[in-house]
Amino acid sequence: MRILLTNDDGIDSPGLRRLHGALAGSHEVWVVAPESNRSGSSHSITLGTPTRFRQVAEREFACGGTPADCVLVACLGLLPVRPDFVIAGVNLGPNLGTDIVYSGTAAAARQGAFMGLPALACSLDSYGPPFHLDFPVEFVTRNLEAFGALLSESHFLNINFPNREAPAGTAVTHPARRIYKDELVRFTPPQGDLYCFIGGGRPESVHEEGSDYWAIERGCVSLSPIVIHPANHEVEERYRQATYWMGGLP
Ligand code: MN
């Protein structure tokens, strides 16, 4: 299989390097990943200015842009042939629930799905070392064909791994609702402008059985299929039923 491997932590991240090492034994792996950490860049793409792609090894490019740029440009022709599969990760840090709105890892997988490719976003539930990467790497490598059979253009698969040597099992889940603890930290230099930093505690989650957070809390691998087309017929109908629009509805 021809695999496009990317991430949002940067091309030198051990999460990506370890996965590359495992996949390259039996697949044709192309790495197109940001040259520095672009975590939290969401689905941003670079428009109006050129983006640098620096070849750093055979089949490896460090990109000056975002994770979504990496997948977009790789599939539009940076790679001599179109990949069969897109894998983002392994991200060092969880991407649970609504984290996927901010996540560059999830965006890279979403961009793969937009381009009609089976795509995985893989994340490890730890913000600091030690990172237990052996299991995630083996899990992705060994289940690649099974994922390929299940994935379609309608969704990508968001995988979160508990940070332990041997997870308690695997659960198919839905994204949790995250509760962010963001706080503004301000710096005022002696001369000049105000500097702000988004600080605060780690996010929490609404406890709900069957969510990705619920699975990770129980030490299980979480598999969340994320539908990419943001249609919601129930909410549409609510608007359709409303009769008070200026100008009316057709
Ligand atoms: Mn990241």
Side-chain angles (χ1 to χ4, degrees), residues 24-190:
S26 40
H27 300 281
E28 181 186 321
V29 184
W30 289 79
V31 176
V32 183
E35 59 194 12
S36 59
N37 193 326
R38 301 302 298 263
S39 295
S41 60
S42 188
H43 209 127
S44 165
I45 56 169
T46 306
L47 296 173
T49 55
T51 304
R52 182 172 73 157
F53 289 82
R54 191 164 43 92
Q55 184 156 16
V56 292
E58 194 190 357
R59 297 182 189 156
E60 285 196 34
F61 293 86
C63 164
T66 65
D69 283 330
C70 292
V71 177
L72 192 55
V73 172
C75 296
L76 286 178
L78 177 70
L79 270 53
V81 275
R82 191 174 149 86
D84 305 311
F85 215 110
V86 175
I87 303 177
V90 178
N91 190 67
L92 301 183
N95 276 307
L96 294 165
T98 38
D99 292 349
I100 59 175
V101 175
Y102 297 106
S103 165
T105 309
R110 189 187 299 111
Q111 186 61 43
F114 282 168
M115 302 188 92
L117 296 169
L120 304 177
C122 309
S123 305
L124 182 67
D125 181 41
S126 179
Y127 292 101
F131 296 110
H132 293 293
L133 284 162
D134 288 350
F135 184 89
V137 164
E138 194 183 345
F139 186 90
V140 170
T141 307
R142 284 179 53 172
N143 290 311
L144 211 51
E145 280 191 25
F147 291 139
L150 289 164
L151 284 160
S152 75
E153 291 182 14
S154 69
H155 69 283
F156 68 92
L157 192 65
N158 188 42
I159 310 177
N160 278 277
F161 294 94
N163 191 32
R164 44 163 83 180
E165 281 178 22
T170 301
V172 177
T173 62
H174 63 267
R177 190 173 288 267
R178 295 286 256 171
I179 306 159
Y180 296 102
K181 306 281 183 181
D182 299 337
E183 281 174 22
L184 196 61
V185 182
R186 299 157 186 260
F187 300 95
T188 311

